[in-house]
Amino acid sequence: MAHSVEQLRIYFVTYNVATKFPHPREDLHQLLGITPDSKSKPDLYFIGLQEVKSQPQNIVLDYILFEDPWTKAFREVLKKYDYVKIRSQRLQGLVLNAFCLRKHLSHLRLIEAQYTKTGFGGMWGNKGAVSIRMNTYGVSICVVNTHLTPHDHLLADRIADYNTIVTDHTFTAPFTSRILYHDYIFWIGDLNFRLGGEELTAVEIDLLVKRKQLKELLERDQLRKVMKEQQAFAELNESSITFPPTYKYEFDSQEFDLKRRPSWTDRILYKVNAIDIYDDIEIHAEQHTYKSHPNYSVSDHKPVTGEFDIVVKPNINDYSVEFQDCTVEENFISYKLQRDFTPSSTDWIGLFLNDFSSLDDYIIYEYASRSKPTSVSGEPHANMERISYNDSALRLSEMYCLVYVAQRGDLIEILGVSSEFSGPRRSVECVSST
């Protein structure tokens, strides 16, 4: 189905939470750019976290059964504004979450997540990268969240971390097997680059910050230096920094902890592969904001956010699944496939509460391969399928919807979302939202 969308707005958060938990006094609305006078909402949020608390004995259970407290807190805010969490990727304390406005769900294709360990020579995930890539409205997007080697003197290790991630981090999505092959690349995280040279003490750096002499400090920034010398991150760009160093602060304070030399460890970089590969558009990214949020003080880092508009294809035909004839009282739900779409044995259809806020929140699901052809006047109808559900999972007072998810190995695609329908003993027509 063709939709005319010319740009998407993407909002990024990177926050090293220093193993602390969200504090009730710190409202996440401001960090997410949500204010009472907000005129428009981002289409996508990517929230990168570092040092999320995880104990070794709980890691497997946490991954499988539970969201971490920070992800849950962000989701609780965003669901009020009609966002759905579409994917999370975690590597010990490193977490990346992708949220999407509900209206875009059925235009997400080839969603894939990946990770690379760089700690202790690649043996341990205390440092490394997590990523989420996807296609939407005809373009490919890759977001990488990293936590690199710390300490002023270990610059060579940070450079090696970057080159390991760029080399080893691979995807199965066609034409985008590596990070830098995507149309749009966003690299966020605690990159841990410090201020070069030891001649400036922590106290002197603090004084320069208070005098707003950031330019003098930024000339010593290790990340800018290695980008210029093409040792690491040379392929990416960064907007001008106008905010104070983001590390290291006293906890519950806006004052630096001068046991460490303050530095800009927390960054948002980007790349646009603006080569002439599309006839109908010239891809481009425009960054609107790049700032830190000093009022958040639960950590010894300050969170950093950035907001971008990206150009997408204005008229893209997305193949989709159309749901029809949702007759809950008979425990059958019928749907129709487009003629040129062949379902896979791993495709599944999930039953969700209509206001679901995560793709993990399905009540029950059925593999599409288990569905059976329905009939019209006794004759099988080639494009109609139906699946059965146990209605004990449904309540009359609730509203529900169906989501069709195509699964191809590590790749998932959201091909259709039905209109809402009520619980048992009512028949409704379900039309795809695509």
Side-chain angles (χ1 to χ4, degrees), residues 28-29 32 34 41-42 45 47 67 70-86 98-103 353-359 361:
L28 295 178
H29 283 76
L32 293 167
I34 299 171
K41 295 186 288 190
Y45 277 93
I47 300 172
E67 283 181 325
W70 284 97
T71 297
K72 184 177 181 181
F74 280 112
R75 180 152 76 105
E76 286 298 312
V77 173
L78 288 172
K79 74 179 184 181
K80 302 172 189 173
Y81 300 92
D82 213 26
Y83 290 93
V84 176
K85 189 185 78 172
I86 54 174
F99 293 85
C100 175
L101 273 178
R102 192 177 306 270
K103 67 180 181 180
L353 286 171
N354 192 55
D355 60 352
F356 72 99
S357 60
S358 170
L359 284 183
D361 284 351

Side-chain angles (χ1 to χ4, degrees), residues 142-289:
C142 182
V143 180
V144 185
N145 174 30
T146 52
H147 192 188
L148 305 185
T149 301
H151 306 306
D152 291 39
H153 64 287
L154 294 180
L155 174 59
D157 291 43
R158 286 186 280 282
I159 294 170
D161 289 344
Y162 169 79
N163 288 295
T164 295
I165 294 163
V166 165
T167 302
D168 294 353
H169 208 84
T170 58
F171 305 98
T172 60
F175 311 113
T176 53
S177 59
R178 297 186 181 276
I179 293 169
L180 297 176
Y181 290 178
H182 291 77
D183 294 329
Y184 297 99
I185 302 103
F186 298 94
W187 198 304
I188 69 177
D190 179 359
L191 308 187
N192 254 325
F193 286 93
R194 308 304 173 95
L195 295 179
E198 300 294 333
E199 59 271 18
L200 282 180
T201 65
V203 172
E204 290 168 332
I205 293 171
D206 183 35
L207 185 59
L208 288 170
V209 172
K210 285 182 166 63
R211 292 175 177 171
K212 303 188 184 302
Q213 294 178 262
L214 300 185
K215 183 178 179 181
E216 183 176 339
L217 292 175
L218 285 165
E219 289 172 354
R220 301 167 183 266
D221 176 59
Q222 289 180 344
L223 178 55
R224 290 190 169 193
K225 179 175 182 288
V226 300
M227 290 173 72
K228 185 176 181 180
E229 295 175 355
Q230 298 193 339
Q231 294 177 291
F233 294 97
E235 300 88 350
L236 292 109
N237 306 291
E238 184 180 27
S239 292
S240 298
I241 292 177
T242 58
F243 49 86
T246 56
Y247 175 81
K248 175 179 172 62
Y249 287 82
E250 296 175 358
F251 288 101
D252 299 315
S253 170
Q254 294 187 35
E255 296 296 322
F256 288 118
D257 178 349
L258 299 179
K259 297 185 184 71
R260 292 278 190 274
R261 298 166 71 244
S263 55
W264 285 275
T265 56
D266 309 277
R267 313 287 275 265
I268 298 174
L269 310 180
Y270 69 98
K271 174 179 173 60
V272 181
N273 277 315
I275 55 177
D276 297 327
I277 57 173
Y278 300 120
D279 295 332
D280 49 349
I281 61 166
E282 181 177 339
I283 63 174
H284 172 72
E286 181 180 358
Q287 186 166 3
H288 296 285
T289 62

Side-chain angles (χ1 to χ4, degrees), residues 15 18 20-26 248-257 294-302:
Y15 195 6
K20 304 299 182 182
F21 293 108
H23 198 286
R25 72 167 182 272
E26 294 194 346
K248 175 179 172 62
Y249 287 82
E250 296 175 358
F251 288 101
D252 299 315
S253 170
Q254 294 187 35
E255 296 296 322
F256 288 118
D257 178 349
N295 292 336
Y296 291 85
S297 58
V298 70
S299 169
D300 55 356
H301 289 251
K302 298 302 179 185

